[in-house]
Amino acid sequence: MNSFLSTLLGWVGLAPPRITCARRVWQTGVHELARRTRNGTRESGAYLLGRRRQNGTHDILEFVFYDDVDPKALATGIVTIRETALPRLWEICRARGYGVVADVHVHPGGYGQSASDRAGPVMPRAGHIAFILPNFARGTPKPGAIGMYEFLGEGRWHDHSRSGTRFLKLGWS
Ligand SMILES: [Zn+2]
């Protein structure tokens, strides 16, 4: 959809959300991210895999936790993505027929991006989405209370956080 039309439809609440996720998948995944912080002693994160629908919306279908792909990913307390983990990720994507829709990681406090979050997108390609969950993901944070950032390339990001469920919609399916 061209961007003027989608902006217009967004104003009147008719644009399809950029990303959707079944409520059960979101709640289970976010709960698991909170658990993997080990009572808030380290950050955790996941690749969010899924598919693109014909209307352009991307469906999140599965959380793939960083520490499952790379046992050392959480070792320093801050999420560290190592190149060596990527072949394992592509293998999972191929086996499922999914792509990487977005990534998500938790913060101890608020959901603003850190300097290193801005400097090092997990997937360094324009259009990639990074979610940040506050307070070590305690209480299963939802759209409207989480960070939602789109990488635009060349170190630039767009902050969609205030769009809430118009950007990331949790559904029942
Ligand atoms: Zn961060």
Side-chain angles (χ1 to χ4, degrees), residues 43 78-79 105-108 110-118 131-132:
E43 297 185 357
I78 307 280
V79 168
H105 74 280
V106 311
H107 275 181
Y111 57 72
Q113 284 182 302
S114 69
S116 67
D117 291 338
R118 276 192 293 275
F131 297 119
I132 299 178

Side-chain angles (χ1 to χ4, degrees), residues 46-118:
Y47 301 101
L48 303 177
L49 308 189
R51 290 204 188 103
R52 184 183 187 279
R53 291 197 218 166
Q54 275 194 332
N55 69 359
T57 294
H58 289 74
D59 276 327
I60 295 168
L61 298 168
E62 184 173 352
F63 283 55
V64 172
F65 301 95
Y66 291 148
D67 45 324
D68 286 345
V69 177
D70 177 0
K72 292 191 176 165
L74 311 181
T76 64
I78 307 280
V79 168
T80 309
I81 306 290
R82 299 188 303 161
E83 295 274 317
T84 50
L86 291 178
R88 175 82 189 109
L89 176 66
W90 304 139
E91 198 180 294
I92 295 168
C93 286
R94 259 199 313 277
R96 309 276 205 279
Y98 295 168
V100 178
V101 169
D103 69 82
V104 60
H105 74 280
V106 311
H107 275 181
Y111 57 72
Q113 284 182 302
S114 69
S116 67
D117 291 338
R118 276 192 293 275

